[in-house]
Coordinates of all heavy atoms in Angstrom, one line a residue:
Chain A
P178 N 1.3 -5.1 -10.8 CA 1.5 -4.7 -12.2 C 0.2 -4.6 -13.2 O -0.8 -5.3 -12.9 CB 2.3 -5.8 -12.8 CG 3.0 -6.4 -11.7 CD 2.1 -6.2 -10.4
E179 N 0.2 -3.6 -13.9 CA -1.0 -3.1 -14.6 C -1.5 -4.4 -15.5 O -2.7 -4.6 -15.6 CB -0.8 -2.0 -15.6 CG -1.9 -1.3 -16.2 CD -3.1 -0.9 -15.2 OE1 -2.7 -0.5 -14.1 OE2 -4.2 -1.2 -15.6
D180 N -0.5 -5.1 -16.1 CA -1.0 -6.3 -17.0 C -1.7 -7.4 -16.2 O -2.6 -8.0 -16.7 CB 0.3 -6.7 -17.7 CG 1.4 -7.2 -16.9 OD1 1.4 -6.7 -15.7 OD2 2.3 -7.9 -17.4
L181 N -1.3 -7.6 -15.0 CA -2.1 -8.6 -14.2 C -3.4 -8.1 -13.8 O -4.4 -8.8 -14.0 CB -1.4 -8.9 -12.8 CG 0.1 -9.3 -12.8 CD1 0.6 -9.7 -11.6 CD2 0.2 -10.6 -13.8
I182 N -3.6 -6.8 -13.5 CA -5.0 -6.2 -13.3 C -5.8 -6.4 -14.6 O -6.9 -6.9 -14.6 CB -4.8 -4.7 -13.0 CG1 -4.0 -4.4 -11.8 CG2 -6.2 -4.2 -12.9 CD1 -4.6 -4.7 -10.5
E183 N -5.1 -6.1 -15.8 CA -5.8 -6.3 -17.1 C -6.2 -7.7 -17.2 O -7.3 -8.0 -17.7 CB -4.9 -5.8 -18.1 CG -5.2 -4.5 -18.8 CD -4.3 -4.3 -20.1 OE1 -3.4 -5.0 -20.3 OE2 -4.8 -3.3 -20.7
A184 N -5.3 -8.6 -17.0 CA -5.7 -10.1 -17.2 C -6.8 -10.5 -16.3 O -7.8 -11.2 -16.7 CB -4.5 -11.0 -16.8
S185 N -6.8 -10.1 -15.1 CA -7.9 -10.3 -14.2 C -9.2 -9.8 -14.8 O -10.2 -10.4 -14.7 CB -7.6 -9.7 -12.8 OG -8.5 -10.4 -11.8
N186 N -9.2 -8.5 -15.3 CA -10.4 -7.9 -15.9 C -10.9 -8.7 -17.0 O -11.9 -8.8 -17.3 CB -10.1 -6.5 -16.2 CG -10.0 -5.5 -14.9 OD1 -10.5 -6.0 -14.0 ND2 -9.5 -4.4 -15.0
A187 N -9.8 -9.0 -17.8 CA -10.1 -9.6 -19.1 C -10.9 -11.0 -18.9 O -11.6 -11.4 -19.9 CB -8.8 -9.9 -19.9
F188 N -10.6 -11.7 -17.8 CA -11.3 -12.9 -17.5 C -12.7 -12.7 -16.8 O -13.3 -13.6 -16.3 CB -10.5 -14.0 -16.8 CG -9.4 -14.6 -17.7 CD1 -8.1 -14.0 -17.9 CD2 -9.7 -15.5 -18.6 CE1 -7.2 -14.5 -18.6 CE2 -8.8 -16.0 -19.4 CZ -7.5 -15.5 -19.6
G189 N -13.0 -11.4 -16.5 CA -14.3 -11.1 -16.0 C -14.4 -11.1 -14.5 O -15.4 -11.6 -14.0
S190 N -13.3 -10.5 -13.9 CA -13.4 -10.5 -12.3 C -14.2 -9.4 -11.9 O -14.1 -8.4 -12.5 CB -12.1 -10.5 -11.8 OG -11.3 -9.3 -12.1
T191 N -15.0 -9.4 -10.9 CA -15.6 -8.3 -10.2 C -14.5 -7.7 -9.3 O -13.4 -8.2 -9.2 CB -16.6 -8.9 -9.2 OG1 -16.1 -9.6 -8.2 CG2 -17.7 -9.7 -10.0
T192 N -14.8 -6.5 -8.9 CA -13.8 -5.7 -8.1 C -13.3 -6.5 -6.9 O -12.2 -6.6 -6.6 CB -14.4 -4.4 -7.7 OG1 -15.0 -3.8 -8.7 CG2 -13.4 -3.5 -7.2
S193 N -14.3 -7.2 -6.3 CA -13.8 -7.9 -5.1 C -13.2 -9.2 -5.3 O -12.1 -9.5 -4.7 CB -15.1 -8.2 -4.2 OG -16.0 -9.1 -4.8
Q194 N -13.5 -9.8 -6.4 CA -12.7 -10.9 -6.9 C -11.2 -10.6 -7.2 O -10.2 -11.1 -6.8 CB -13.2 -11.6 -8.0 CG -14.5 -12.6 -7.7 CD -15.1 -13.0 -9.0 OE1 -15.2 -12.4 -10.1 NE2 -15.6 -14.3 -9.1
R195 N -11.1 -9.4 -7.8 CA -9.9 -9.0 -8.2 C -9.0 -8.7 -7.0 O -7.8 -9.0 -6.8 CB -9.9 -7.8 -9.1 CG -8.7 -7.3 -9.7 CD -8.8 -6.1 -10.6 NE -9.3 -4.9 -9.9 CZ -10.2 -4.1 -10.4 NH1 -10.8 -4.3 -11.5 NH2 -10.5 -3.1 -9.6
L196 N -9.6 -8.0 -6.0 CA -9.0 -7.6 -4.8 C -8.5 -8.8 -4.0 O -7.4 -8.8 -3.5 CB -10.0 -6.8 -3.9 CG -9.5 -6.1 -2.8 CD1 -8.5 -5.0 -3.2 CD2 -10.5 -5.4 -1.9
F197 N -9.4 -9.8 -3.9 CA -9.1 -11.0 -3.0 C -8.2 -11.9 -3.7 O -7.5 -12.7 -3.0 CB -10.3 -11.5 -2.4 CG -10.9 -10.6 -1.3 CD1 -12.0 -9.9 -1.6 CD2 -10.3 -10.5 -0.1 CE1 -12.6 -9.1 -0.6 CE2 -10.8 -9.6 0.9 CZ -12.0 -8.9 0.6
T198 N -8.2 -12.2 -5.0 CA -7.5 -13.2 -5.6 C -6.1 -12.6 -6.1 O -5.3 -13.4 -6.3 CB -8.3 -13.8 -6.9 OG1 -8.4 -12.7 -7.8 CG2 -9.5 -14.5 -6.5
L199 N -6.2 -11.4 -6.3 CA -4.9 -10.7 -6.9 C -4.2 -9.7 -6.2 O -3.1 -9.9 -5.7 CB -5.2 -10.3 -8.3 CG -4.0 -9.6 -9.1 CD1 -3.0 -10.7 -9.4 CD2 -4.6 -8.9 -10.4
Q200 N -4.9 -8.6 -5.9 CA -4.2 -7.4 -5.3 C -3.8 -7.7 -3.9 O -2.6 -7.3 -3.6 CB -5.2 -6.3 -5.4 CG -5.4 -5.8 -6.9 CD -6.5 -4.8 -6.9 OE1 -7.6 -4.9 -6.5 NE2 -6.2 -3.6 -7.6
L201 N -4.7 -8.1 -3.1 CA -4.2 -8.3 -1.6 C -3.1 -9.3 -1.5 O -2.1 -9.0 -0.8 CB -5.5 -8.6 -0.8 CG -6.2 -7.4 -0.5 CD1 -7.5 -7.9 0.4 CD2 -5.6 -6.3 0.2
P202 N -3.3 -10.6 -2.2 CA -2.2 -11.6 -2.0 C -0.8 -10.9 -2.4 O 0.2 -11.1 -1.8 CB -2.6 -12.7 -2.9 CG -4.0 -12.6 -3.0 CD -4.4 -11.2 -2.8
L203 N -0.8 -10.1 -3.6 CA 0.5 -9.6 -4.1 C 1.0 -8.5 -3.3 O 2.1 -8.2 -3.2 CB 0.3 -9.1 -5.5 CG 0.3 -10.3 -6.6 CD1 0.2 -9.8 -8.1 CD2 1.5 -11.1 -6.4
A204 N 0.0 -7.8 -2.6 CA 0.4 -6.5 -1.9 C 0.8 -7.0 -0.5 O 1.3 -6.1 0.3 CB -0.7 -5.6 -1.9
A205 N 0.4 -8.2 -0.1 CA 0.6 -8.6 1.4 C 2.1 -8.4 2.0 O 2.1 -7.8 3.0 CB 0.4 -10.1 1.5
P206 N 3.1 -8.5 1.2 CA 4.5 -8.3 1.9 C 4.4 -6.7 2.2 O 5.0 -6.3 3.2 CB 5.5 -8.5 0.8 CG 4.8 -9.5 -0.1 CD 3.2 -9.1 -0.1
T207 N 4.0 -5.8 1.3 CA 4.1 -4.4 1.5 C 3.2 -4.0 2.7 O 3.5 -3.3 3.4 CB 3.6 -3.7 0.3 OG1 4.3 -4.3 -0.9 CG2 4.0 -2.2 0.2
I208 N 1.9 -4.6 2.6 CA 1.1 -4.2 3.7 C 1.6 -4.6 5.1 O 1.5 -3.9 6.0 CB -0.3 -4.9 3.5 CG1 -1.0 -4.5 2.2 CG2 -1.2 -4.7 4.7 CD1 -2.3 -5.1 1.9
L209 N 2.2 -5.9 5.1 CA 2.7 -6.3 6.4 C 4.0 -5.4 6.8 O 4.1 -5.1 8.0 CB 3.3 -7.8 6.3 CG 2.2 -8.7 6.6 CD1 2.7 -10.1 6.3 CD2 1.9 -8.6 8.2
A210 N 4.8 -4.9 5.8 CA 5.7 -3.9 6.2 C 5.3 -2.7 6.8 O 5.7 -2.1 7.7 CB 6.7 -3.6 4.9
G211 N 4.1 -2.2 6.2 CA 3.4 -1.2 6.9 C 2.9 -1.4 8.3 O 3.0 -0.6 9.3
V212 N 2.3 -2.6 8.5 CA 1.8 -3.0 9.8 C 3.1 -3.0 10.8 O 3.0 -2.5 11.9 CB 1.2 -4.3 9.8 CG1 0.9 -4.8 11.3 CG2 -0.1 -4.3 9.0
N213 N 4.2 -3.6 10.4 CA 5.4 -3.6 11.2 C 5.9 -2.2 11.6 O 6.0 -1.9 12.7 CB 6.5 -4.3 10.3 CG 7.8 -4.3 11.0 OD1 8.6 -3.3 10.8 ND2 8.1 -5.2 11.9
Q214 N 5.8 -1.2 10.5 CA 6.2 0.1 10.9 C 5.2 0.7 11.8 O 5.5 1.4 12.8 CB 6.0 0.9 9.6 CG 7.0 0.7 8.6 CD 8.3 1.4 9.2 OE1 8.5 2.4 9.5 NE2 9.3 0.5 9.3
S215 N 3.8 0.4 11.8 CA 2.9 0.8 12.8 C 3.1 0.3 14.2 O 2.9 1.0 15.1 CB 1.5 0.4 12.2 OG 1.0 1.2 11.1
I216 N 3.5 -1.0 14.3 CA 3.8 -1.5 15.6 C 4.9 -0.7 16.2 O 4.8 -0.4 17.3 CB 4.2 -3.0 15.4 CG1 3.0 -3.9 15.0 CG2 4.6 -3.6 16.8 CD1 3.3 -5.3 14.8
M217 N 5.9 -0.5 15.5 CA 7.0 0.3 16.0 C 6.6 1.7 16.4 O 7.0 2.1 17.5 CB 8.2 0.4 15.0 CG 8.9 -0.8 14.6 SD 9.7 -1.6 16.0 CE 8.7 -3.1 16.3
L218 N 5.8 2.3 15.6 CA 5.3 3.6 16.0 C 4.4 3.6 17.3 O 4.5 4.5 18.1 CB 4.4 4.3 14.8 CG 5.5 4.9 13.7 CD1 4.7 5.4 12.5 CD2 6.3 5.9 14.2
A219 N 3.6 2.6 17.3 CA 2.8 2.5 18.5 C 3.5 2.3 19.7 O 3.2 2.8 20.8 CB 1.8 1.2 18.2
L220 N 4.6 1.5 19.5 CA 5.5 1.3 20.7 C 6.1 2.6 21.2 O 6.4 2.8 22.3 CB 6.5 0.3 20.3 CG 7.2 -0.4 21.5 CD1 6.3 -1.1 22.3 CD2 8.1 -1.5 20.8
S221 N 6.5 3.5 20.2 CA 7.1 4.7 20.4 C 6.3 5.7 21.2 O 6.7 6.5 21.8 CB 7.8 5.3 19.3 OG 6.7 5.8 18.4
M222 N 4.9 5.5 21.0 CA 4.0 6.3 21.6 C 3.7 5.9 23.1 O 3.0 6.6 23.7 CB 2.5 6.2 20.9 CG 2.6 7.3 19.6 SD 2.6 8.9 20.2 CE 0.8 9.2 20.7
V223 N 4.1 4.7 23.5 CA 3.7 4.4 24.8 C 4.1 5.2 25.9 O 3.5 5.5 26.9 CB 4.0 2.9 25.1 CG1 3.4 1.9 24.2 CG2 5.5 2.6 25.2
V224 N 5.4 5.8 25.7 CA 5.9 6.8 26.6 C 5.1 7.9 26.7 O 4.7 8.5 27.8 CB 7.4 7.1 26.3 CG1 7.9 8.1 27.3 CG2 8.2 5.8 26.4
I225 N 4.7 8.4 25.5 CA 4.0 9.7 25.4 C 2.6 9.5 26.0 O 2.0 10.4 26.7 CB 4.0 10.1 23.9 CG1 5.4 10.5 23.4 CG2 3.0 11.4 23.7 CD1 5.5 10.8 22.0
A226 N 2.1 8.3 25.6 CA 0.5 8.0 26.1 C 0.6 7.9 27.6 O -0.4 8.2 28.2 CB 0.1 6.7 25.6
S227 N 1.8 7.7 28.3 CA 1.7 7.6 29.7 C 1.4 9.0 30.3 O 1.0 9.1 31.4 CB 3.0 7.1 30.3 OG 4.0 8.0 30.0
L228 N 1.6 10.1 29.5 CA 1.2 11.5 30.1 C -0.1 11.6 30.3 O -0.6 12.4 31.1 CB 1.6 12.4 29.0 CG 3.2 12.6 28.7 CD1 3.4 13.7 27.7 CD2 3.9 13.0 30.0
V229 N -1.0 10.7 29.7 CA -2.4 10.9 29.9 C -3.0 9.6 30.5 O -4.1 9.4 30.6 CB -3.3 11.0 28.5 CG1 -2.9 12.3 28.0 CG2 -3.0 9.9 27.7
G230 N -2.1 9.0 31.2 CA -2.4 7.9 32.2 C -2.5 6.5 31.6 O -3.1 5.7 32.3
A231 N -1.8 6.3 30.5 CA -1.7 5.0 29.9 C -0.7 4.1 31.0 O 0.4 4.7 31.1 CB -1.3 4.8 28.6
P232 N -0.9 3.1 31.4 CA -0.1 2.3 32.3 C 0.9 1.5 31.6 O 0.7 1.4 30.3 CB -1.0 1.4 33.1 CG -2.1 1.2 32.2 CD -2.3 2.4 31.5
G233 N 1.9 1.2 32.2 CA 2.9 0.3 31.6 C 4.4 0.9 31.5 O 4.6 1.7 32.4
L234 N 5.2 0.3 30.7 CA 6.6 0.6 30.8 C 6.7 2.1 30.5 O 7.7 2.8 31.0 CB 7.3 -0.1 29.7 CG 7.5 -1.7 29.9 CD1 8.0 -2.3 28.7 CD2 8.3 -1.9 31.1
G235 N 5.9 2.7 29.6 CA 5.9 4.1 29.4 C 5.8 5.0 30.7 O 6.5 6.0 30.8
A236 N 4.9 4.6 31.5 CA 4.7 5.2 32.7 C 5.9 5.3 33.5 O 6.3 6.2 34.3 CB 3.5 4.7 33.5
E237 N 6.6 4.0 33.6 CA 7.9 3.8 34.2 C 8.9 4.8 33.8 O 9.6 5.5 34.7 CB 8.4 2.4 34.1 CG 7.4 1.3 34.6 CD 7.2 1.2 36.0 OE1 8.2 1.6 36.8 OE2 6.2 0.8 36.5
V238 N 9.0 4.9 32.6 CA 10.0 5.9 31.9 C 9.6 7.2 32.4 O 10.6 8.0 32.8 CB 10.1 5.7 30.4 CG1 10.9 6.8 29.8 CG2 10.5 4.3 30.0

Side-chain angles (χ1 to χ4, degrees):
Chain A
E179 191 53 42
D180 53 347
L181 297 186
I182 302 284
E183 253 189 351
S185 197
N186 287 341
F188 286 94
S190 64
T191 59
T192 310
S193 63
Q194 281 176 325
R195 191 178 62 221
L196 190 64
F197 288 105
T198 60
L199 176 67
Q200 290 169 307
L201 285 180
L203 283 185
T207 317
I208 294 174
L209 268 173
V212 171
N213 172 271
Q214 288 289 305
S215 289
I216 291 176
M217 293 297 117
L218 285 177
L220 201 56
S221 71
M222 270 299 278
V223 298
V224 175
I225 296 174
S227 66
L228 296 181
V229 291
L234 293 170
E237 303 289 331
V238 172

